[in-house]
Amino acid sequence: MDRRWGISVPLPELSLPEQRELIAELPDLGYTDVWSSEANGADAFTPLALTATWAPQLRLGTAIVPVYTRGPATLAMSAATLAAAAPGRFALGVGTSSNVIVERWNGIPFDEPYKRVRDTVRFLRRALSGEKVTESYDTFEVKGFTAGLVADPVPPVLVAALRPGMLKLAGREADGAIINWLSPDDVRTVVPYVREGGPDKEVVARIFVMPDTDPDTARALARRHIAAYMNVPVYRAFHEWLGRDELTPMWQAWDAGDRKAALAAIPDSVVDDLVVHGPAEYCRERVQQYVDNGVTTPAMALVAPGDPTEAVRALGLK
């Protein structure tokens, strides 16, 4: 596989139309991929559709689309449409998302997440290839769906995974995994579970990056992101499994309702493990450590405030 170097879109602090020129510049800066996400901002598909027009050299990926918030057929149609618009350049990443996004924001029960992802991947494999699907899965039922649009080639499907069960599922039934909120050393722990399904499975990592930001500012911003994520049950369980005991005081303060104390309890060592910050050259070297430890596709997510133009240029490989 050629060396991949990705960034997350949409870029922060710019409206979608304002991003056109910078995104068009990405290939010349050495970027190969753009990966979108979906929480409470832009949906996962629209920024990629725009990118397909603005920079047709780039590979596109979702990291991720929740398996709960679209019906199975609608998810397949969205993926097929983008794959047809960018033949051979789109990868569909799906995952559970979290109880916050699924239940609190969308009013959908967050039931049996492992089975829901497994069933969705099995459905997508058949639907995206044009097969007529009539199947009673454990978590949903499909009666007689046939995709009216079948992309050539059929896009790969990746699974967002944190702990062993989902990591193994990603390697066994999908084309690879999307990992998130971990250090380069943690990559050594999670990737072997994916590669049980085959040595060539793709591993995409969303990596939070703040280049050329002074340490105090970077750590203050990073603490807020860490507190917001690590108290979501799925991420807390992930880091408990990884053995990140340094977060226990933060979890205890959060459980007690003391948000200020929870932020203060996050040590610099954890911040520096999970969020890449410092001079741009150091940031590139740090991201390369993820690759050296088993990531095939780094997808950097800028989290510093302000115009992202200089950060995007500084993190490029050219």
Side-chain angles (χ1 to χ4, degrees), residues 224-242:
R224 294 186 180 278
H225 285 284
I226 290 169
Y229 274 89
M230 298 311 147
N231 287 289
V232 173
V234 292
Y235 284 104
R236 177 170 178 170
F238 176 46
H239 283 271
E240 288 174 337
W241 172 69
L242 287 172

Side-chain angles (χ1 to χ4, degrees), residues 112 115-116 118-119 122 135-141:
E112 298 188 287
K115 289 183 178 180
R116 181 69 183 224
R118 181 202 64 196
D119 294 348
R122 290 176 178 177
E135 188 76 40
S136 293
Y137 299 95
D138 285 348
T139 57
F140 58 83
E141 185 176 9

Side-chain angles (χ1 to χ4, degrees), residues 90-265:
F90 172 64
L92 176 65
V94 299
T96 63
S97 187
S98 71
N99 65 311
V100 173
I101 292 171
V102 175
E103 287 187 331
R104 295 186 191 177
W105 297 354
N106 285 284
I108 299 169
F110 192 67
D111 295 338
E112 298 188 287
Y114 175 86
K115 289 183 178 180
R116 181 69 183 224
V117 171
R118 181 202 64 196
D119 294 348
T120 300
V121 171
R122 290 176 178 177
F123 166 77
L124 288 169
R125 289 292 206 193
R126 299 173 63 186
L128 290 171
S129 67
E131 181 180 343
K132 183 176 181 179
V133 182
T134 296
E135 188 76 40
S136 293
Y137 299 95
D138 285 348
T139 57
F140 58 83
E141 185 176 9
V142 176
K143 298 180 180 179
F145 174 76
T146 303
L149 175 62
V150 178
D152 183 16
V154 173
V157 178
L158 307 175
V159 167
L162 297 174
R163 288 179 290 161
M166 201 72 82
L167 291 163
K168 290 180 179 180
L169 175 68
R172 184 177 64 249
E173 300 207 26
D175 296 293
I178 297 168
I179 56 178
N180 193 18
W181 276 114
L182 75 175
S183 72
D185 287 342
D186 295 332
V187 171
R188 298 181 186 274
T189 300
V190 304
V191 165
Y193 292 101
V194 182
R195 296 273 160 75
E196 287 180 15
D200 297 327
K201 295 292 180 174
E202 183 168 13
V203 179
V204 179
R206 183 175 294 280
I207 304 167
F208 297 91
V209 182
M210 282 188 274
D212 299 324
T213 305
D214 72 86
D216 290 342
T217 300
R219 288 178 177 137
L221 290 169
R223 281 188 172 85
R224 294 186 180 278
H225 285 284
I226 290 169
Y229 274 89
M230 298 311 147
N231 287 289
V232 173
V234 292
Y235 284 104
R236 177 170 178 170
F238 176 46
H239 283 271
E240 288 174 337
W241 172 69
L242 287 172
R244 194 156 271 116
D245 297 334
E246 309 99 300
L247 285 175
T248 299
M250 185 271 286
W251 287 322
Q252 292 172 339
W254 191 273
D255 290 343
D258 192 338
R259 301 296 189 254
K260 184 176 181 180
L263 283 172

Side-chain angles (χ1 to χ4, degrees), residues 58-84:
L58 293 172
R59 184 175 184 233
L60 317 170
T62 59
I64 50 98
V65 178
V67 295
Y68 291 95
T69 52
R70 289 176 179 80
T74 301
L75 177 56
M77 288 187 291
S78 297
T81 302
L82 192 48

